[in-house]
Amino acid sequence: FLQAMPKLIWEKKLQEAVKRQQRFGWSVRNMRGKVFVQRYYPDINKKVTATLPIMWEPNQELNVLNALQKINEVMQNSGCSLKEAVEIIYGNNNYKININWNKLVEDFKEYKNISKSSWEGNYSYFLADIVSMMGSSNEPKTGKAILEKLVKNKDKGAGRKRIISNAKTFLEFIVFKKGIDERYSPPADIIIKELKGGKSKKSYKKERLKDNEILFLLDDLPKTDTGQKWKFAISLCFVFGLRAVELNYMKPKEDQLHIAYKKVSANGNTDKRDIDGLSPAALPDLASQLLMELKTKATELPASVGKGKNDSEVGRAMVQYLKRNSKFWNKLKEEYADEGAVIGSYSLRHAFAYRGVFLYEMNPDDLSQQMGHDLQTHLKNYRNFHDEKGRKERFKKAKAKMLENSNNL
């Protein structure tokens, strides 16, 4: 008998992610190079299947999860079957589709819901290029080809990277939110990196700060009234994993922190949520102390926090204060820069995620809800934390088993 090929690591991770998101009855596997979906109904012992126009290959996890979520929504809302839902979303004809690109741009603008200046500075100029190229006789046939044409003859740098990043978001929106043909989805991350022009000398993604570094930073802040207000604000972001702007949308709720902030992005909307504080090991009572300060209004937030209209403005005010008033912050900034990394207000949020995985042993579903984003976004940003935790646990078990076996010899 022929033995089945062992599953690759990325295949196992994809199937585990589907089980976590869809919970009951959903599974995926390879079918002639495409994603094959099965929905099992245990109460009636029935299986239904369908093939998606998504390649069975690495880096498709986000595409598959988004597709299954959309299919499930269509099935729930319309009462149709699995195959009918796939047909509704992807259509019968995979190659001849009349697409109103101007309408897609309008829908995307409405969905982003950002200021006129942000729209014009970050999106409108390259989206106009896409509309123009898609009406030409030699229009690109895939998402990868669209991105390649957008940056053709463009020099490497921040401008090129911004175009690719934002165009990738647009392509994800039209494919996974509007149901446009899968061939327009952006390529794998390794191709995206190449299209951006290789590794930049300057990194923009914020690095995680270690808990002991943050605690030392808090002690380093000036003992002035303003300094203590910023210590309070930074501590809240550190212990509750807040986006900086969420400092303006929080209030204590029994032993939790209620966040009324709603973030709108191409990946969806952030719902209101209640957060459990994750105190660092060195200060296990810090979360309860911060909640008490909020309840008694013993400490106020800095005035510049309340003036911030969005996460960028509040985060910038925080970093500006640290830059001007903390020698330790500037020392950390230089040390991380030597390693090609950047630190900022989001470094506190990343520290929360890391603590949630390693100290509090939270699973991806629970931690993503605490942080106010969906599972796909969480895994996109923090999968390496969960993978590292899994590797350490497997090594620990293997070492224990080895010691047990040696003792029995």
Side-chain angles (χ1 to χ4, degrees), residues 300-368:
E300 296 179 352
L301 293 171
S304 52
V305 168
K307 295 176 182 178
K309 297 177 182 178
N310 53 49
D311 196 44
S312 178
E313 290 183 5
V314 181
R316 188 160 50 242
M318 181 184 294
V319 171
Q320 188 177 58
Y321 178 83
L322 290 171
K323 183 179 178 181
R324 292 175 177 175
N325 296 276
S326 173
K327 291 181 180 179
F328 184 67
W329 172 265
N330 291 319
K331 180 185 176 183
L332 282 176
K333 189 176 179 181
E334 290 178 4
E335 290 177 352
Y336 277 92
D338 289 341
E339 299 176 1
V342 177
I343 57 175
S345 63
Y346 248 72
S347 300
L348 305 170
R349 186 165 159 86
H350 297 334
F352 176 88
Y354 191 85
R355 199 177 322 116
V357 173
F358 283 91
L359 184 59
Y360 289 83
E361 299 185 340
M362 297 178 68
N363 62 50
D365 294 282
D366 292 338
L367 191 52
S368 64

Side-chain angles (χ1 to χ4, degrees), residues 187-218:
D189 288 343
I190 190 171
I191 304 299
I192 292 292
K193 184 177 180 180
E194 291 175 358
L195 290 171
K196 286 181 177 180
K199 188 175 182 180
S200 172
K201 293 182 179 178
K202 186 174 182 181
S203 172
Y204 293 93
K205 184 175 181 180
K206 303 303 182 286
E207 186 67 27
R208 171 185 70 90
L209 283 171
K210 301 178 181 65
D211 281 5
N212 64 318
E213 293 173 333
I214 298 172
L215 292 174
F216 197 96
L217 173 66
L218 292 171

Side-chain angles (χ1 to χ4, degrees), residues 126-140:
F126 76 78
L127 289 173
D129 291 340
I130 291 180
V131 171
S132 177
M133 73 173 70
M134 297 313 292
S136 64
S137 57
N138 61 337
E139 66 179 37

